[in-house]
Amino acid sequence: MRIGLLGPLEVRNDDGAAVEITGARLRTLLSALALEPGRVVSAGQLVDAVWGTRPPATANALQALVSRLRRVGTRLDSTPSGYRLPEATVDAAHFEELVTAARTASDEKRVVLLREALNLWRGPALGDVSDAQFFQGHIARLNELRLSATEDYAEAALRLGHGADLTEELSRVLAEHPLRERLAAALMLSLQAAGRPAEALQVFARIRMALADELGADPAAELAAAHTKILRETVADEDVARTNLRAGLTSFVGRNTEVARVAKLVGEYRLTTLTGPGGAGKTRLATETGRHLLTERGGVWFAELAPIGDGADVPQAVLDALGLREQIYKGSLVSGTPRERATRALRDRDAVLVLDNCEHVIEAAAELADHLLGECPRLRILATSREPLALTGEALWPVEPLTLPAEGATSVEAMSCASVRLLADRAAAVRPGFVVDESTVDDVVRICRALDGMPLAVELAAARLRSMTVSQLAARLDDRFRLLTAGSRTALPRHRTLRAVVDWSWDLLEPDERQLLRRLAVFSGGATAEAAEAVCGGTSELLSALVDKSLLTVSADAEPRYRMLETIKAYGLEQLTAADEREEMRQAHAEWFASFAEAGDKYLRRAEQIEWLARFAAEHGNLISATRGAIAAGEATTALRLATSCAWFWMLTGRKTEAQEVIEAALALPGEVVDRELRAMGYAMAALLLTIGMSSETTADALGRKALELSRDSKNALLRSIIPVFTQSGDPSVIGSTLDDLLSDEDPWLRAHARLHRARIQLNRWHDSAAQEADTREAVRLFRQSGERWGMSLALNSLAEVVGRRGELEEAVACYEESIQVVSEIGSAEDVLFARGRQAHLFWQLGDAAAAATAIAAAERDARTVPFPDSLAFLAQTKADLARWRGDLTEARAELNRAEALLSEVSPHPLFCAMIQHSHAYLDAQAGDLPTARGRRREALALAAESGEVLYLSIVLVGIADHAVRLDRPVAAADLLAAADHLRGGPHLALPDATAAAAAVQAQPSGTVDDPVALAYDVLS
């Protein structure tokens, strides 16, 4: 029997007659057996082949299928372990035998054996079962063997001088496998043998581009060698020069992928223009692209336009570039105008003309390009300019700055960025031994970022390292225009200093363009068209003109933003000072952004919150620079308008330290602020920022009192929502009146905050957990109605705490999960950290240690972006309690020590200090050190009792009850637990310490304790 697997399954008997095998499973079974002719294939393998992941329900299904195969004339041997297909001739096996024999044969014999092997193929391997998972390894192996055999055959045929006959076959196979380098080399040599070297070079260009685009790799040595061989033979056959490109004097860093992509554009479009600011590397990219294109085109000619001063001289510059090889111009080429002569020279050539530095003669360059492209059908033009030539069919490639490292990047991370590699390369040339390592990386990153990754600026900076250290260079970049003046003596004058580079662009501008450019320098982080018009008097037409001239970039956002490089900004600020407009523009900028922040602030507490957070984030650089500028100028009112209107944004986005700094600086400015409410708002926001997190509230109380004094009868919604924070320990009637006013307000956001404030009072004053829960649930509903995520997260966290205490642990977990989701939308990582930590404790209490570990792992990932020591200390304390509950006292102690180390950097909240001491005391007690535990518990008790927060006091009382059990005072322990339950309005079923202590004294009756704090001190005496 003969079986064909190299294509659709084909079966013939020994007489050559076809045998029909019907049914997909039957054909699959035969295919699996035929892959191993003469060898036993286990029953398990055959079941996997036929049924895959859905094995048959009955054990004899395979036997039934084998019986059917035997009935159509297929001989099969049965063995205890499986089945064997004997005495069959299988084309796949014969193919492998022929390929193996060819490897050791002479070239003459090899081509015969391999041709016979390749002719066995009738289509895709195992065509009937190509989708089955079982056969994928076999198919891949056979396909790879086929490709290798094709390559072996082609190389042997080429050595025998028969390569010209292979072009069609190899082209077809390469089209199916376009990244197969060995195959491409064989096709190139075949095309060369067929007298088609240009096509061979195009094959190389295509695969080099594909390798760069898809794999980020260069051609292998074998393919490069074939290319070099063809190129040498082709050049040797030509009797004229093909280029005037000069060899590069330095390495080409960071843009190899761009070369391939620009070359692709040149192949697809007749005119391609590289645009970008001065010093971006347009000329070098064009030159390297030209060298690349030499492998594909009949010639590449480079015309430098920078030295000419008149557009009328552009044709002569092109002719001069072509005339470097005067022997090719004879007869009619020596007469006529420069334009006519250049046209005749290029008319019949497959050439690329590079027009470099077109911006100062843009009209003349565009006119000549249009003429040449129309008259020379095989010509391609690659131009460089700070603005497009603006011709029909022009393709644009913006030359961007080199990639920049992130702030704080390691040396390895930094060296992955092209700007750093360029600096390192050029610095090593002038300062032997220079490397980017941990001692230099911070300064190198600062230099590259300050210079926007602009190649010329980076090279000028590297040249300065001849005479100064990298740290000195980094420190002096504020004076970049005087510092970066060490360019090459042979460079164009405008490329010898950084100032000359920018001067060249500035001098090409119209007066109104110069005015707008210098005024735009007042912005930090760019400007919208609306802001640019309001502050600078610019128009959309002028902005577009500056974009076209590569002095501004424009984003693709729904509301486009116009930005400038830092070097252009520094130059613009110099020009702004020279024009005596700097203070005028600063004031206009501050007024615009104060109005922007005041208008947008209210939306940060509504359903539009996400949209406006994004708008504030986009303007953050402008907002903070406007605020600091007003503070520096002593403008108290403007500074407070900006600081208070931005404060909520800064708080939501984790910029609390920055917000606190500028608000306090604005409040400290001398001079009267007429608007009492504005100053009250400043004090209130400063106080609120201090109360968020686990920092001390001592300063916050003083600030809050000042806010209260100034805020009587205020109608400001945000100020009214904050005031109750600073009245909760005061006169109950005043508190009630304040809350009643808020609870009746039409704003659901205000009512929601009032509910949260009242919920806290319900517990602390009246120990009414049911009332607390009702207020908290209503707060969640109202925050949902308002659409404000941060408040919703606070309310959900509070609800999780309430329902968790009464044992609804799954609901508490769900509340924290929703809290994480909503607060993640605004990017508040520290709030996510808190919720994940609380979730971990709940999972532990539910008996799901794996889920607890997962929550902690997620929190640790979130912690990488959290800069606040108190938040990180909270996570450490959370991990410490988990470790203690699972019996790992060593890890628990290490995490608590870490928490204390973190808190040494800040002034922690007293309650947080109490919880740290509370956790330490458990470890001391479990280690048998009751005296130390007693001291820690006394400290925790004093802090908790003074705070007035009964929930924390109840937690400390649970710890002291544990201490009483260890002292063999069960009655006192029971009384303390009962007192804790009374304070919080019920048991704490979400706290393992509370349930453990309750279990220890469950048989002990408890009484009413009038003063649980006194009893606690008695236990600790």
Side-chain angles (χ1 to χ4, degrees), residues 363-381:
E363 297 293 339
E367 192 279 330
L368 180 63
D370 184 65
H371 170 78
L372 291 175
L373 291 170
E375 295 294 325
C376 309
R378 301 174 67 196
L379 176 68
R380 310 264 166 170
I381 292 180

Side-chain angles (χ1 to χ4, degrees), residues 331-496:
S332 63
L333 292 181
V334 300
S335 62
T337 66
R339 189 173 88 158
E340 292 169 344
R341 293 165 63 193
T343 303
R344 288 195 294 268
L346 293 168
R347 177 167 284 126
D348 298 320
R349 291 184 66 83
D350 177 20
V352 175
L353 174 63
V354 180
L355 297 177
D356 190 44
N357 292 302
C358 299
E359 55 270 0
H360 63 304
V361 286
I362 192 72
E363 297 293 339
E367 192 279 330
L368 180 63
D370 184 65
H371 170 78
L372 291 175
L373 291 170
E375 295 294 325
C376 309
R378 301 174 67 196
L379 176 68
R380 310 264 166 170
I381 292 180
L382 175 61
T384 75
S385 176
R386 299 188 191 184
E387 59 180 305
L389 270 61
L391 295 180
T392 301
E394 178 182 27
L396 298 179
W397 181 268
V399 179
E400 305 286 350
L402 298 175
T403 53
L404 291 172
E407 292 182 5
T410 65
S411 57
V412 174
E413 292 168 342
M415 282 297 288
S416 69
C417 299
S419 59
V420 175
R421 293 201 303 275
L422 179 63
L423 180 67
D425 180 85
R426 302 303 191 256
V430 300
R431 195 180 186 93
F434 178 85
V435 294
V436 178
D437 56 21
E438 294 311 310
S439 67
T440 60
V441 64
D442 290 342
D443 290 321
V444 166
V445 167
R446 181 180 171 189
I447 291 168
C448 290
R449 291 181 63 86
L451 299 178
D452 305 296
M454 297 297 286
L456 178 62
V458 171
E459 292 193 350
L460 290 171
R464 271 296 180 185
L465 292 177
R466 285 194 298 265
S467 57
M468 60 177 61
T469 66
V470 68
S471 60
Q472 290 171 333
L473 176 62
R476 294 182 59 188
L477 281 178
D478 287 343
D479 195 15
R480 67 187 70 196
F481 292 115
R482 286 203 300 172
L483 181 67
L484 304 182
T485 58
S488 170
R489 289 191 178 93
T490 62
L492 292 168
R494 63 188 178 83
H495 279 175
R496 294 179 190 174

Side-chain angles (χ1 to χ4, degrees), residues 439-610:
S439 67
T440 60
V441 64
D442 290 342
D443 290 321
V444 166
V445 167
R446 181 180 171 189
I447 291 168
C448 290
R449 291 181 63 86
L451 299 178
D452 305 296
M454 297 297 286
L456 178 62
V458 171
E459 292 193 350
L460 290 171
R464 271 296 180 185
L465 292 177
R466 285 194 298 265
S467 57
M468 60 177 61
T469 66
V470 68
S471 60
Q472 290 171 333
L473 176 62
R476 294 182 59 188
L477 281 178
D478 287 343
D479 195 15
R480 67 187 70 196
F481 292 115
R482 286 203 300 172
L483 181 67
L484 304 182
T485 58
S488 170
R489 289 191 178 93
T490 62
L492 292 168
R494 63 188 178 83
H495 279 175
R496 294 179 190 174
T497 70
L498 188 61
R499 180 177 296 281
V501 172
V502 188
D503 280 342
W504 171 267
S505 296
W506 179 262
D507 292 342
L508 295 175
L509 298 178
E510 298 297 329
D512 53 352
E513 293 173 336
R514 292 180 189 176
Q515 181 188 70
L516 177 57
L517 185 65
R518 69 175 179 253
R519 289 179 173 183
L520 284 171
V522 76
F523 286 89
S524 297
T528 63
E530 181 185 10
E533 181 176 355
V535 175
C536 307
T539 65
S540 58
E541 292 77 12
L542 283 176
L543 287 168
S544 296
L546 292 174
V547 171
D548 286 343
K549 294 176 181 180
S550 301
L551 290 166
L552 295 179
T553 61
V554 60
S555 70
D557 301 329
E559 185 176 21
R561 296 187 65 79
Y562 296 86
R563 292 183 173 87
M564 58 177 62
L565 298 174
E566 286 301 310
T567 294
I568 303 298
K569 178 179 170 67
Y571 188 92
L573 288 173
E574 282 190 0
Q575 297 298 324
L576 198 62
T577 301
D580 197 24
E581 294 180 335
R582 193 156 183 172
E583 179 58 19
E584 176 191 348
M585 286 298 101
R586 185 200 64 75
Q587 291 179 0
H589 177 267
E591 176 58 35
W592 166 263
F593 283 102
S595 298
F596 166 87
E598 287 170 338
D601 176 52
K602 60 180 176 293
Y603 294 108
L604 297 176
R605 293 174 295 281
R606 296 182 182 176
E608 300 91 344
Q609 183 178 53
I610 299 300

Side-chain angles (χ1 to χ4, degrees), residues 247-263:
L249 300 180
T250 57
S251 59
F252 184 58
V253 177
R255 298 200 191 273
N256 289 318
T257 300
E258 286 187 65
V259 167
R261 292 178 178 172
V262 172

Side-chain angles (χ1 to χ4, degrees), residues 578-830:
D580 197 24
E581 294 180 335
R582 193 156 183 172
E583 179 58 19
E584 176 191 348
M585 286 298 101
R586 185 200 64 75
Q587 291 179 0
H589 177 267
E591 176 58 35
W592 166 263
F593 283 102
S595 298
F596 166 87
E598 287 170 338
D601 176 52
K602 60 180 176 293
Y603 294 108
L604 297 176
R605 293 174 295 281
R606 296 182 182 176
E608 300 91 344
Q609 183 178 53
I610 299 300
E611 174 194 346
W612 276 89
L613 279 172
R615 295 186 66 175
F616 269 78
E619 300 294 2
H620 177 247
N622 285 309
L623 292 166
I624 195 66
S625 67
T627 308
R628 293 190 187 281
I631 291 170
E635 297 172 349
T637 297
T638 302
L640 270 177
R641 286 175 62 201
L642 280 158
T644 56
S645 297
C646 294
W648 197 260
F649 162 71
W650 285 328
M651 182 192 73
L652 291 179
T653 54
R655 297 179 173 95
K656 292 181 291 189
T657 303
E658 183 176 49
Q660 192 69 41
E661 176 192 340
V662 296
I663 290 175
E664 290 181 3
L667 287 168
L669 288 174
E672 183 181 1
V673 176
V674 176
D675 190 340
R676 285 169 55 88
E677 189 172 272
L678 180 60
R679 187 170 286 277
M681 193 68 207
Y683 286 123
M685 285 305 305
L688 181 64
L689 288 164
L690 286 172
T691 64
I692 294 171
M694 286 158 277
S695 298
S696 173
E697 291 183 0
T698 305
T699 307
D701 290 340
L703 292 168
R705 286 192 295 274
K706 290 182 178 180
L708 283 172
E709 293 169 6
L710 295 168
S711 63
R712 304 301 179 193
D713 302 320
S714 172
K715 300 302 181 184
N716 183 292
L718 181 56
L719 184 58
R720 291 170 64 206
S721 76
I722 298 172
I723 293 306
V725 174
F726 311 111
T727 59
Q728 294 208 38
S729 59
D731 185 342
S733 63
V734 174
I735 299 170
S737 174
T738 302
L739 287 178
D740 287 344
D741 180 48
L742 293 177
L743 288 167
S744 61
D745 196 276
E746 63 181 16
D747 185 348
W749 184 82
L750 271 178
R751 299 203 306 275
H753 268 290
R755 288 281 185 168
L756 277 186
H757 289 309
R758 194 170 72 176
R760 186 178 172 191
I761 295 171
Q762 304 281 20
L763 187 67
N764 285 337
R765 293 208 170 178
W766 299 300
H767 317 300
D768 190 341
S769 60
Q772 180 194 22
E773 180 175 350
D775 272 339
T776 305
R777 286 191 183 277
E778 178 62 7
V780 171
R781 187 190 71 80
L782 289 169
F783 276 124
R784 285 201 177 106
Q785 181 181 336
S786 74
E788 201 272 289
R789 279 83 168 169
W790 186 71
M792 193 188 310
S793 172
L794 290 182
L796 285 165
N797 290 344
S798 297
L799 182 58
E801 175 66 37
V802 172
V803 299
R805 289 202 310 267
R806 59 179 171 81
E808 299 295 337
L809 304 187
E810 290 86 354
E811 183 182 354
V813 166
C815 286
Y816 280 127
E817 189 61 37
E818 186 180 356
S819 170
I820 290 167
Q821 290 173 4
V822 297
V823 84
S824 294
E825 293 183 45
I826 61 176
S828 182
E830 63 270 27

